[in-house]
Amino acid sequence: MTMKPHRHFPGISRRELLQAGRSGLLGVGLTSILGQRASASPATITNATKSPKSIVIVFLTGACSHHDTFDMKLDAPAEIRGEFQPIATSIPGYSICEHLPHLAARANKYAVIRTLSHEDNNHLMSTHHVLTGEKQPGGFFDKVASRDDWPCYSAALSFLRRRDDGLPSGVNLPTFLREGPLTWPAQHAGFLGANYDPWQITGDPNKSDFRVESLSLAQGMDVVHLGRRQMLLDEINRKQSQFAEVAQSLRLQKDQHLAINMLTSSRLAQAFELHREPDAVRDRYGRTTPGQSLLTARRLIEAGVPIVQVNMGHVQTWDSHGDLFQTLKKRLLPPMDQGVSALLDDFESRGMLNDTLVMMLGEFGRTPKINAGRGRDHWGPCFFGLFAGAGVQVGQVIGRSDVTGAYPATRGFSPNDVGATIYHLLGLPPEVEVHDRLGRPVRLNRGEVIESLFSGSSV
């Protein structure tokens, strides 16, 4: 008699069901990505914009000098003015650093705010403020990340607008901001819990062997086999009627399907496959870690990820207390200039710029006076931000700092205002309430939308 192959599909026995329950059914290694879904219900979203935008955050970790890039003080004394010369931009009367020729030629594609401002001079606290739109709760010098922190923007989006299509709401790359015992805040969901943390991709997209381990199947498993496991999983979930009334079991079932969706989502996996891009496109971005990371960001946005943060370096990469001008000239400014310019061109040529905000900033600015080591120190009261796309009225310079670049001479904008603007573009009203770890209702953001970015009336 010919034996038919044993199939673990519909009609499994109670014994097989119990065996499967003990065996760790999926075995696809996504615990670190999914965890358990939160038990709290997200706040109701009202007054959402009709067309939510996507966001690319280009984070100049360590803080770029505004004096030597986008807010040059040409008439100031030498100890403030610095070594670089200005070049004209495509905005009449506006000049930027000579080592930013690509962005100078594209100044008509973005807006610059020269009066971002806050009160902190500490990297960790300032990073939290800029990347969450709120001050760090109980903040003190070098306060490391904790679950008491405010959620980053993608975490709030994930909490308030959950998705089940297998795509994360946020991806951070190519570095995780940590130095020794210090883990930078604002890289996770804070008090909302680990369920809403963005994906952290650590790896150099410029390397030929770059791959994202989180998207890999277990050894010996392909998508076909995974599909069969999904059929078995569906049968088990139907058979486990005794658990069906338990809320946690229902959430687990949803997570199992979400895990499968992640692993079988070809558009997500392909977003990291930079070899699919023509060499000419990769060359335009620059064969550098910043350049290829920005190209990856464009591909992730195309795949449907709403928020991508590109860290332009490791922690404090832009923190030039000494030898500032050689560092900027030879190492930092050229790849940033080339990569961000290519990103703007790419979004525009693909018709994506109207639906995507590109925002570039650091956690603060630098001191007006050059120090003895030919560098500049931390300075929160005044710094710049570059904004493009998503309805931003481009070709404008918003705000003016004083003669030394120390303080805003016109209206200053806080990181809270930046956060309110981002939430507005995401279709999330900043005044919506969420709940902290103690269950207390808190307002998501207390800033004001920077209207001049969209009205074209510079202040």
Side-chain angles (χ1 to χ4, degrees):
M1 180 174 74
T2 302
M3 297 294 293
K4 293 183 179 180
H6 191 66
R7 298 173 62 85
H8 289 280
F9 295 149
I12 61 178
S13 68
R14 180 177 181 274
R15 178 181 178 184
E16 289 174 317
L17 177 64
L18 294 176
Q19 288 175 338
R22 290 194 297 264
S23 65
L25 182 64
L26 279 176
V28 293
L30 287 183
T31 304
S32 60
I33 298 175
L34 293 172
Q36 295 177 337
R37 306 300 287 181
S39 59
S41 298
T44 302
I45 301 175
T46 58
N47 300 321
T49 58
K50 292 183 178 179
S51 179
K53 309 301 182 183
S54 302
I55 312 287
V56 174
I57 302 172
V58 182
F59 186 54
L60 306 176
T61 174
C64 178
S65 168
H66 54 297
H67 295 83
D68 306 298
T69 51
F70 292 93
D71 192 11
M72 303 186 77
K73 297 301 176 183
L74 308 179
D75 298 324
E79 65 270 19
I80 293 172
R81 184 174 65 248
E83 298 179 6
F84 295 157
Q85 298 300 312
I87 56 174
T89 71
S90 52
I91 301 176
Y94 178 52
S95 298
I96 63 175
C97 170
E98 61 184 313
H99 300 298
L100 297 171
H102 297 290
L103 286 172
R106 292 163 177 78
N108 60 328
K109 295 184 179 182
Y110 57 81
V112 175
I113 297 179
R114 296 185 293 189
T115 55
L116 297 181
S117 179
H118 61 66
E119 300 172 351
D120 294 326
N121 287 328
N122 175 249
H123 287 295
L124 281 74
M125 293 171 62
S126 298
T127 295
H128 181 285
H129 202 177
V130 166
L131 296 181
T132 69
E134 288 291 329
K135 291 184 178 180
Q136 188 178 28
F140 55 83
F141 187 87
D142 280 356
K143 183 178 186 291
V144 299
S146 79
R147 286 297 171 188
D148 292 324
D149 291 339
W150 224 256
C152 64
Y153 301 121
S154 64
L157 176 65
S158 178
F159 180 77
L160 292 168
R161 187 178 294 130
R162 297 182 186 177
R163 57 194 303 161
D164 57 6
D165 59 357
L167 294 176
S169 293
V171 173
N172 295 354
L173 77 157
T175 57
F176 182 69
L177 303 182
R178 177 188 292 135
E179 184 177 58
L182 303 180
T183 297
W184 263 236
Q187 301 182 88
H188 53 68
F191 60 70
L192 293 180
N195 313 305
Y196 306 101
D197 287 346
W199 282 23
Q200 301 285 345
I201 305 300
T202 55
D204 186 351
N206 192 44
K207 292 184 176 179
S208 58
D209 60 351
F210 172 70
R211 66 196 302 269
V212 179
E213 297 293 341
S214 299
L215 296 181
S216 300
L217 297 177
Q219 185 175 5
M221 185 184 295
D222 57 25
V223 173
V224 174
H225 290 120
L226 187 63
R228 291 175 181 170
R229 286 197 178 191
Q230 183 172 11
M231 294 178 67
L232 175 59
L233 172 63
D234 290 340
E235 178 66 13
I236 287 177
N237 284 327
R238 284 193 295 268
K239 293 285 186 179
Q240 287 180 314
S241 58
Q242 64 268 42
F243 297 116
E245 303 300 322
V246 182
Q248 184 62 36
S249 177
L250 294 176
R251 283 198 297 274
L252 177 61
Q253 182 178 359
K254 182 177 179 180
D255 279 352
Q256 291 165 335
H257 285 288
L258 179 56
I260 289 174
N261 287 341
M262 284 185 177
L263 287 175
T264 57
S265 174
S266 60
R267 57 177 175 157
L268 179 62
Q270 289 176 7
F272 295 101
E273 297 174 356
L274 296 188
H275 65 271
R276 295 176 177 270
E277 290 287 340
D279 286 343
V281 173
R282 299 192 68 178
D283 291 342
R284 281 206 314 271
Y285 278 84
R287 298 290 184 144
T288 62
T289 303
Q292 298 305 295
S293 297
L294 290 165
L295 174 56
T296 304
R298 189 218 80 201
R299 292 175 61 83
L300 285 166
I301 294 292
E302 281 183 311
V305 177
I307 301 180
V308 181
Q309 179 176 316
V310 179
N311 296 322
M312 300 295 277
H314 298 277
V315 295
Q316 303 179 5
T317 288
W318 294 77
D319 190 30
S320 301
H321 292 278
D323 199 23
L324 168 67
F325 302 101
Q326 289 300 306
T327 300
L328 289 177
K329 175 182 177 179
K330 294 182 177 180
R331 185 164 61 88
L332 298 182
L333 293 182
M336 179 266 278
D337 180 48
Q338 181 177 2
V340 174
S341 296
L343 183 69
L344 296 177
D345 290 347
D346 232 0
F347 275 139
E348 184 177 52
S349 66
R350 293 167 180 267
M352 299 170 61
L353 198 55
N354 289 338
D355 295 317
T356 308
L357 176 75
V358 177
M359 177 179 75
M360 181 172 72
L361 76 176
E363 62 263 42
F364 42 61
R366 314 301 299 188
T367 50
K369 189 173 181 179
I370 300 169
N371 63 29
R374 300 301 293 168
R376 300 185 194 266
D377 302 314
H378 304 176
W379 192 254
C382 193
F383 59 111
F384 80 92
L386 181 151
F387 300 82
V392 168
Q393 293 296 307
V394 297
Q396 62 168 329
V397 180
I398 299 173
R400 175 173 53 85
S401 61
D402 62 19
V403 294
T404 64
Y407 300 96
T410 57
R411 178 183 174 182
F413 298 97
S414 75
N416 301 68
D417 300 326
V418 173
T421 304
I422 288 176
Y423 285 130
H424 168 73
L425 292 174
L426 291 173
L428 304 177
E431 67 274 10
V432 71
E433 285 189 345
V434 294
H435 291 81
D436 66 13
R437 296 177 71 187
L438 297 178
R440 298 170 299 191
V442 292
R443 178 169 169 154
L444 181 61
N445 176 272
R446 290 169 290 182
E448 297 180 4
V449 175
I450 305 175
E451 296 290 352
S452 51
L453 273 174
F454 309 101
S455 66
S457 56
S458 302
V459 294

